[in-house]
Amino acid sequence: MIKAEKATKLFGDCCAVNELDCSIPKGCIYGLIGSNGAGKSTFLRLITGVYKADMGRVTLEGREIHENPELKAQIAYVPDELYFLGNASMKRMAQMYACLFPGFNEKRFRELTAAFPLNPASSINSFSKGMKRQAAIILALSCMPRYIFFDETFDGLDPIMRGLVKNFITNDVLERGVTAIITSHSLRELEDTCDQLALLHKGGIVFESDIQNLKTSLFKVQIAFEAPYDESMFQELTIQSYSKCGSVSSFIVRGGREETAEILRAKNPILLDVLPLSLEEVFVHEMSALGYSFDQAGQQGGDENVE
Amino acid sequence: MWNKNLYKEGLRQSTLVGIIFASILLLGAFVFPISNIAQARRSGRIMIIEYFQFNPLLVGAFCLFAPLCTLSLFSFLNRRNRSDFYHSLPYKRGTIFFSYLTSVLTWVIGTVLCCSFITFTIYFFGADAVSLNFAQIFAFLFNIVSACIMVTGAVLLAMSITGTLFSNIMTALLIIFLPRTILSLFFTTLSRLTLVTSAASYGLLGQAHYNIPFGFVLGIFNGSTDMALCDFHSGLYTLIVGLVYTAVAAFAFKHRKSETSGMPAPNRRVQTVIRTAFAFLFCAIGCSLILSGSGTNVLTYVFFIIGLMVYFAYELITTKKLPNIVKFLPSWLYLVLLCAVFVSGVLLLKTADLSVSWDTDRIRSVSITADREQGHPRYEDLKMNEIQIEDETFLRMISEILEDRQALAKKSADLFNANNLYRYRMVRVTMKDGKTHLRYLWLSDRENEQFEKFLLNAGIYDAVYGERPQYPASVSMSDLSLTKEQTMALYEIYEKEVSNLNMHSWIYLNTGSSLFTDSSGKSFLPISGNIMGFEVNGLYGVTQYSNFYPLTALTPETYSAYLAYLNSSETETFSRLWEELVENPADQSNGYIEVDFVAMPGSRRKFDYYCYFNADYSKLTNEDAFCDIVKKLDEAIKVQGDHAPDLNSQLCKILFIERGQTESGSLYGREQVYVVAISEELEQALYDYNYMITREYFY
């Protein structure tokens, strides 16, 4: 289990992760989403032991990660900014990984290299952005980690490669009980892959939920009545983002879908649609609720670069 | 603490830099000894290989190889993604640090040692032409290794506290040079103000050459790098400083935050320290000039202005933010504070140095020591240094002199010249309270005589000069026309001869003191300006000594053997050349002989200067006169035949240069000497022709 207790990381005056609490169970694929500068990458660096929490603690299996080689040997970390030796080929990088990571498996490396269409003898410098990411993922997964921490994993990958990476992650989780934490802005990818999702904002987890639960606890309603009405008509529901255009109202409801539909049907609407929310809509909605909208993002400007 | 895999990976990652530098040093390892041996064989003379000649490129090991290899392997500290990668590795930071450090040192020190081994091997095969000064060479190699460790430690420390290449380099330079520069400035200024103390009086702190990189750079400017590169103490000190730097670097590396990469400093405080330190370097020079009495000089203000410019420029270059200049303006006061500390420190120490009470009752003993600033001490100086003189009369004399000179120094430095105080000895005074003071003892002629008389009467000179170095590391002759075997044979004769020598004469030969002038009327010194003798080097404990034992008429047996070697070495060539000259002395076309008449030791006349055959300077104004001299010399040579020159006669050295062409076509000129005893008549003739004549470029 990965656990953060009041974990705080400061960069000078800027607090990138602020008293963050979370616990990630073993064998779970955990997605981290959040606005730019929310502290996703910083949090990943804290749980990989790159950073040490200024306050609070981050533990893996109950032990501090920072300066703990035994735990770090079980982690594969692919950061958003990748690192390869200058002018090195995949072969050279594999040689380096084999030297530095005790769990590096040559056979797995060969399998993965065969699965991804990369030439291990070519210089990585000549690779495209997506190919470089593939290379980093191959190297990381070849270390046979028990924990996989991927930052902006799918950035630059084409849909086929994304599918391949997802497959490998899922297989590792299923077959070897690996725990994975993935951050991404592509909510569509996380929706498919993750078991749990956490939303980070301003260095703290705003909510944390099972993906299925998240998708079923929020839904969009479109409703119209013959008689005039207003928002007070739906007092028994937990309504968010209410808007009305003519006689048609749109709003998001938190709660059980069937119960809500039942309540609304009892009011005899002339139009009633109860639609599921995509993860992206959930994200936008939750962020708007926290005061992070298009307008405000524009105003906040450059102070969102702590990652 | 250390991991084999990381170490191997470190070696692999340094391969490019390693191979480039190893190739350069290897090239030097072959080229220099081969070239030296070839040169020695071509000239027909033994070449003494001293520290730098061994393989000058080895200096590059600490000047370039060590810093570049360190910068290259630890460059991950300057990039965020690389830094994150390394900090996520399953190793403790200390393990990464020490494993990579050993990779760097393996490349650098391994290359130095391999190259040295190759160089030694080549010199071994050319042993007939070269003579290695082992004491110097081993000290040189040790010092090179120490300097490599120090530079590596300093660069690592700089890299651990800063996060850009520019700030790495600047901070490393600061760490290597700044402390010693400030200390040197401080103690040199102090020494200049007090006159009775030398910078060396302050031990490790005052000896500039102890820091090898600093001493080497300083040596390039003042033309003497040997103290930094050959003194074992320098190597030891540098090694210790290097280890301290490495330990501090390891600590900083362990506590370094990954986010420091890409930033010139981890926080504002460190940035302020680096910026202020740079600026202080220049301001300290200004302070030193003011204290030394050049306060009104424009140059002083220039240094302060440069200091300020550096202060702001460093901030601008590293942060590239103009508003920072205004932001950090108040911290400029630190610079003022440092200057104030420098000035007040010098003045306070000056007051303390000139306020010592030299009451005889307070002095336990005095020892006479060598001034290390003048180069390597002599063997006898090191022996003398060990003798603690506790004689009350002597202590009283020293006490009075020290008290008087201290009083003079307090008033004005000019008073030393006004009182004819030009000679000095360096003394170490041990007080009864356990303190020791190293002082310049400025002496008048009368005081110097008293001083020496005491040393003589107390048997100190006898104790010091009664024994010569037992197992010197190298013996060579300033006249290099002899082979190594001939030199050693001569030194053996010399040792036997001087052991039977009157002690006063021997002391005179070594000190030149007027107290020991020989009564025999013989001249002690050989040819002025071209003194021949033995250069003897070795180690006394761990301190290198360097002695010169002159060859004079006081050692006739050695001298005679020397002349015999000289005359026998190139008899055939000389005979052939001489015959050609005698046949046609005025012939301008034969361009391969020069004739140079120089009075030798033992001459009744003391000819001190060369006199060229030149109408403007010599009475020898025509070819006929020269032919006459050649003819008379020829007669003398014939009389001498195969015998060694008679030392009781006037001796004349004929210097000839055999010019020729090697098989490869290059021209050479090999200098040879023939010594002949001449008659009084010829001597008179030479005298009449303005003492000596030299027919140079006699073609």
Side-chain angles (χ1 to χ4, degrees):
Chain A
M1 173 179 278
I2 300 165
K3 201 168 180 186
E5 296 165 278
K6 302 262 176 239
T8 303
K9 177 67 190 169
L10 301 162
F11 294 110
D13 299 332
C14 174
C15 185
V17 171
N18 188 14
E19 297 194 351
L20 188 144
D21 284 301
C22 80
S23 57
I24 301 164
K26 227 173 180 180
C28 149
I29 306 181
Y30 193 85
L32 268 178
I33 55 169
S35 52
N36 291 333
K40 300 185 296 292
S41 299
T42 306
F43 178 61
L44 272 194
R45 285 182 182 120
L46 281 173
I47 57 176
T48 45
V50 171
Y51 291 162
K52 190 177 185 214
D54 293 314
M55 279 172 278
R57 64 199 291 254
V58 181
T59 56
L60 200 74
E61 295 168 5
R63 288 177 291 165
E64 287 265 7
I65 306 161
H66 188 74
E67 286 287 78
N68 190 333
E70 204 184 311
L71 287 179
K72 282 183 172 183
Q74 301 174 27
I75 296 172
Y77 170 51
V78 179
D80 52 348
E81 259 189 90
L82 303 173
Y83 165 65
F84 300 103
L85 292 173
N87 221 24
S89 64
M90 284 281 287
K91 269 188 184 168
R92 170 68 183 98
M93 286 306 294
Q95 186 191 31
M96 179 183 166
Y97 269 65
C99 214
L100 303 182
F101 291 92
F104 188 83
N105 186 318
E106 196 71 41
K107 189 171 161 247
R108 181 106 204 266
F109 174 72
R110 279 198 300 272
E111 283 168 10
L112 290 169
T113 320
F116 289 87
L118 295 178
N119 179 1
S122 300
S123 165
I124 296 175
N125 279 355
S126 65
F127 286 4
S128 69
K129 185 185 171 188
M131 288 161 85
K132 280 181 182 166
R133 192 154 287 275
Q134 288 170 39
I137 291 167
I138 291 171
L139 290 165
L141 293 179
S142 301
C143 295
M144 307 299 280
R146 290 179 61 199
Y147 295 92
I148 297 172
F149 302 145
F150 283 177
D151 199 359
E152 305 296 349
T153 326
F154 306 108
D155 187 20
L157 295 183
D158 62 53
I160 294 169
M161 286 305 132
R162 266 185 246 165
L164 197 59
V165 171
K166 277 183 213 168
N167 263 351
F168 278 116
I169 295 173
T170 315
N171 283 347
D172 271 6
V173 171
L174 291 175
E175 288 168 15
R176 299 196 298 114
V178 165
T179 308
I181 301 180
I182 303 169
T183 75
S184 178
H185 289 296
S186 170
L187 301 173
R188 180 77 195 82
E189 308 301 341
L190 294 184
E191 192 172 359
D192 290 353
T193 324
C194 298
D195 307 319
Q196 270 197 306
L197 201 70
L199 175 64
L200 254 81
H201 186 60
K202 292 186 177 170
I205 289 184
V206 178
F207 74 78
E208 190 182 17
S209 172
D210 191 87
I211 285 266
Q212 214 46 42
N213 181 39
L214 191 67
K215 282 162 74 177
T216 51
S217 66
L218 276 176
F219 42 89
K220 197 157 74 179
V221 173
Q222 281 186 322
I223 196 163
F225 295 94
E226 274 185 38
Y229 68 96
D230 62 9
E231 198 180 345
S232 59
M233 193 175 177
F234 312 108
Q235 269 175 349
E236 61 269 52
L237 301 175
T238 314
I239 289 183
Q240 289 163 352
S241 306
Y242 178 85
S243 64
K244 191 177 174 193
C245 184
S247 62
V248 180
S249 296
S250 298
F251 51 86
I252 291 170
V253 177
R254 189 184 290 278
R257 187 176 172 178
E258 290 309 315
E259 292 88 343
T260 305
E262 202 64 29
I263 292 168
L264 292 173
R265 253 183 244 123
K267 293 180 191 288
N268 296 320
I270 53 168
L271 168 74
L272 176 62
D273 272 336
V274 181
L275 305 166
L277 279 183
S278 71
L279 209 52
E280 193 143 333
E281 285 170 313
V282 173
F283 175 76
V284 171
H285 169 73
E286 292 290 350
M287 293 309 290
S288 305
L290 292 166
Y292 186 75
S293 60
F294 287 118
D295 295 343
Q296 284 176 338
Q299 282 164 17
Q300 283 172 10
D303 63 352
E304 300 283 354
N305 56 356
V306 287
E307 282 184 308
Chain B
M1 283 295 275
W2 188 82
N3 182 279
K4 191 176 82 181
N5 289 337
L6 270 171
Y7 168 73
K8 273 158 59 181
E9 181 55 34
L11 284 180
R12 242 180 252 135
Q13 288 187 28
S14 320
T15 308
L16 182 67
V17 181
I19 285 181
I20 292 172
F21 274 96
S23 312
I24 296 169
L25 295 189
L26 267 174
L27 191 72
F30 282 102
V31 168
F32 287 103
I34 291 171
S35 138
N36 284 339
I37 291 167
Q39 197 184 331
R41 284 189 178 148
R42 203 165 48 233
S43 66
R45 293 173 177 190
I46 293 291
M47 182 183 275
I48 308 297
I49 305 297
E50 293 185 329
Y51 69 108
F52 205 66
Q53 286 164 302
F54 180 71
N55 178 2
L57 286 186
L58 285 180
V59 174
F62 74 83
C63 291
L64 288 170
F65 192 6
L68 288 180
C69 201
T70 312
L71 279 170
S72 148
L73 189 57
F74 284 84
S75 64
F76 65 84
L77 291 170
N78 291 339
R79 286 280 184 84
R80 186 67 170 272
N81 58 339
R82 294 181 194 183
S83 176
D84 284 356
F85 174 80
Y86 277 89
H87 288 146
S88 70
L89 290 179
Y91 301 99
K92 289 201 168 190
R93 293 188 179 191
T95 312
I96 299 175
F97 179 87
F98 285 110
S99 306
Y100 270 25
L101 170 68
T102 43
S103 303
V104 171
L105 293 180
T106 303
W107 267 112
V108 177
I109 298 175
T111 306
V112 168
L113 296 182
C114 283
C115 291
S116 303
F117 177 75
I118 291 167
T119 311
F120 269 124
T121 310
I122 297 171
Y123 278 128
F124 173 77
F125 286 110
D128 57 311
V130 294
S131 173
L132 299 185
N133 184 338
F134 283 104
Q136 273 199 3
I137 290 169
F138 282 123
F140 173 62
L141 292 178
F142 173 69
N143 285 12
I144 292 282
V145 169
S146 297
C148 287
I149 291 172
M150 185 203 176
V151 171
T152 305
V155 173
L156 275 178
L157 178 54
M159 294 188 84
S160 299
I161 58 172
T162 61
T164 63
L165 182 64
F166 178 76
S167 56
N168 290 164
I169 295 170
M170 297 313 276
T171 312
L173 289 173
L174 205 65
I175 293 167
I176 295 169
F177 292 109
L178 184 85
R180 190 46 73 173
T181 309
I182 299 298
L183 284 173
S184 284
L185 271 173
F186 187 92
F187 290 111
T188 310
T189 312
L190 182 62
S191 164
R192 213 175 290 151
L193 286 179
T194 59
L195 279 175
V196 290
T197 55
S198 84
S201 321
Y202 304 94
L204 289 174
L205 298 177
Q207 311 242 24
H209 69 271
Y210 269 30
N211 175 323
I212 294 173
F214 178 83
F216 176 67
V217 173
L218 195 70
I220 290 172
F221 290 108
N222 63 25
S224 163
T225 55
D226 66 327
M227 284 304 278
L229 293 176
C230 291
D231 184 17
F232 182 76
H233 295 95
S234 302
L236 203 60
Y237 171 83
T238 305
L239 179 65
I240 292 167
V241 172
L243 293 176
V244 170
Y245 281 167
T246 308
V248 179
F251 179 81
F253 186 91
K254 195 172 157 56
H255 292 89
R256 178 192 163 96
K257 290 182 174 176
S258 189
E259 61 265 30
T260 304
S261 49
M263 296 199 292
N267 53 50
R268 286 178 195 167
R269 263 174 294 170
V270 174
Q271 177 78 348
T272 304
V273 168
I274 296 172
R275 193 179 53 230
T276 310
F278 265 115
F280 180 57
L281 183 64
F282 295 93
C283 294
I285 300 173
C287 291
S288 172
L289 288 173
I290 290 177
L291 286 166
S292 307
S294 320
T296 51
N297 197 319
V298 179
L299 196 64
T300 311
Y301 302 108
V302 169
F303 278 108
F304 283 113
I305 292 165
I306 293 174
L308 279 179
M309 283 166 68
V310 167
Y311 182 83
F312 293 116
Y314 184 82
E315 187 61 38
L316 267 183
I317 293 168
T318 53
T319 64
K320 299 180 182 70
K321 287 179 186 166
L322 199 61
N324 276 0
I325 287 188
V326 183
K327 203 170 169 183
F328 293 117
L329 207 56
S331 56
W332 177 74
L333 286 172
Y334 292 129
L335 197 56
V336 177
L337 189 69
L338 280 174
C339 290
V341 169
F342 184 92
V343 171
S344 50
V346 170
L347 294 177
L348 272 173
L349 262 181
K350 180 194 167 190
T351 311
D353 277 346
L354 296 180
S355 306
V356 179
S357 165
W358 297 110
D359 191 355
T360 318
D361 294 340
R362 293 187 66 232
I363 301 174
R364 177 180 293 155
S365 64
V366 170
S367 64
I368 300 150
T369 185
D371 185 2
R372 294 289 178 89
E373 288 184 9
Q374 304 302 319
H376 294 299
R378 293 180 313 155
Y379 179 80
E380 291 79 10
D381 292 333
L382 295 171
K383 283 187 75 182
M384 180 84 92
N385 184 42
E386 288 179 346
I387 299 173
Q388 297 293 327
I389 306 167
E390 295 177 356
D391 180 271
E392 208 172 312
T393 322
F394 184 73
L395 295 187
R396 196 177 306 119
M397 179 175 79
I398 298 291
S399 147
E400 282 167 10
I401 295 171
L402 285 171
E403 202 69 70
D404 181 69
R405 298 308 107 96
Q406 193 166 280
L408 283 181
K410 268 184 194 169
K411 287 178 196 162
S412 166
D414 297 336
L415 289 172
F416 278 70
N417 286 342
N419 287 279
N420 294 323
L421 297 167
Y422 300 118
R423 293 166 186 269
Y424 76 85
R425 296 285 189 127
M426 188 159 263
V427 288
R428 188 184 304 278
V429 185
T430 307
M431 312 300 276
K432 284 183 178 159
D433 59 9
K435 285 184 186 167
T436 58
H437 299 275
L438 192 66
R439 291 285 168 133
Y440 281 127
L441 192 70
W442 291 92
L443 300 167
S444 65
D445 288 346
R446 192 182 58 80
E447 287 164 342
N448 185 53
E449 197 177 320
Q450 281 179 336
F451 189 91
E452 286 189 331
K453 266 185 184 161
F454 172 81
L455 295 181
L456 179 69
N457 296 334
I460 292 170
Y461 270 145
D462 287 358
V464 169
Y465 288 97
E467 179 202 318
R468 276 168 303 288
Q470 286 303 302
Y471 301 103
S474 77
V475 176
S476 58
M477 280 201 87
S478 46
D479 186 326
L480 297 170
S481 54
L482 304 182
T483 64
K484 202 156 51 177
E485 289 72 26
Q486 286 173 333
T487 305
M488 289 315 293
L490 276 182
Y491 187 64
E492 218 169 285
I493 299 170
Y494 186 78
E495 280 221 291
K496 274 184 201 156
E497 210 168 8
V498 292
S499 61
N500 298 322
L501 206 61
N502 169 306
M503 182 59 78
H504 284 203
S505 303
W506 177 236
I507 297 171
Y508 177 76
L509 276 182
N510 281 279
T511 63
S513 168
S514 57
L515 275 184
F516 310 105
T517 310
D518 185 72
S519 55
S520 67
K522 285 182 178 173
S523 165
F524 284 93
L525 295 175
I527 307 156
S528 177
N530 188 20
I531 299 173
M532 281 173 291
F534 298 96
E535 283 164 14
V536 180
N537 291 287
L539 288 174
Y540 187 87
V542 291
T543 309
Q544 192 182 331
Y545 62 80
S546 185
N547 273 50
F548 179 77
Y549 294 127
L551 194 56
T552 71
L554 283 174
T555 51
E557 204 182 321
T558 318
Y559 196 69
S560 186
Y562 167 68
L563 293 180
Y565 281 139
L566 271 188
N567 284 358
S568 66
S569 61
E570 286 293 335
T571 316
E572 278 182 31
T573 317
F574 174 72
S575 304
R576 180 171 53 80
L577 294 172
W578 185 252
E579 273 168 28
E580 284 177 23
L581 179 71
V582 171
E583 276 172 25
N584 193 0
D587 182 12
Q588 305 279 321
S589 63
N590 261 337
Y592 51 79
I593 190 162
E594 295 174 9
V595 182
D596 179 9
F597 304 97
V598 183
M600 297 293 277
S603 298
R604 285 185 293 277
R605 290 188 195 283
K606 297 189 188 91
F607 297 148
D608 286 338
Y609 302 99
Y610 290 89
C611 180
Y612 295 97
F613 171 54
N614 186 309
D616 294 334
Y617 302 112
S618 171
K619 291 175 190 174
L620 188 66
T621 54
N622 58 65
E623 297 290 332
D624 292 341
F626 180 74
C627 295
D628 182 42
I629 293 291
V630 169
K631 199 176 154 194
K632 284 177 176 160
L633 268 173
D634 184 47
E635 284 164 14
I637 289 167
K638 280 179 179 146
V639 169
Q640 187 169 290
D642 293 335
H643 303 291
D646 179 8
L647 293 186
N648 294 316
S649 304
Q650 170 70 58
L651 297 176
C652 180
K653 178 171 93 171
I654 301 170
L655 183 146
F656 61 99
I657 294 182
E658 182 194 359
R659 296 189 192 283
Q661 206 165 10
T662 61
E663 285 177 10
S664 62
S666 57
L667 294 169
Y668 69 86
R670 191 157 56 180
E671 193 180 88
Q672 297 295 346
V673 167
Y674 190 86
V675 179
V676 61
I678 55 174
S679 64
E680 277 185 45
E681 185 200 349
L682 179 53
E683 181 194 348
Q684 189 59 48
L686 289 167
Y687 183 76
D688 291 342
Y689 290 133
N690 208 4
Y691 295 168
M692 277 186 304
I693 52 171
T694 295
R695 178 73 192 268
E696 208 172 37
Y697 303 117
F698 176 66
Y699 296 122

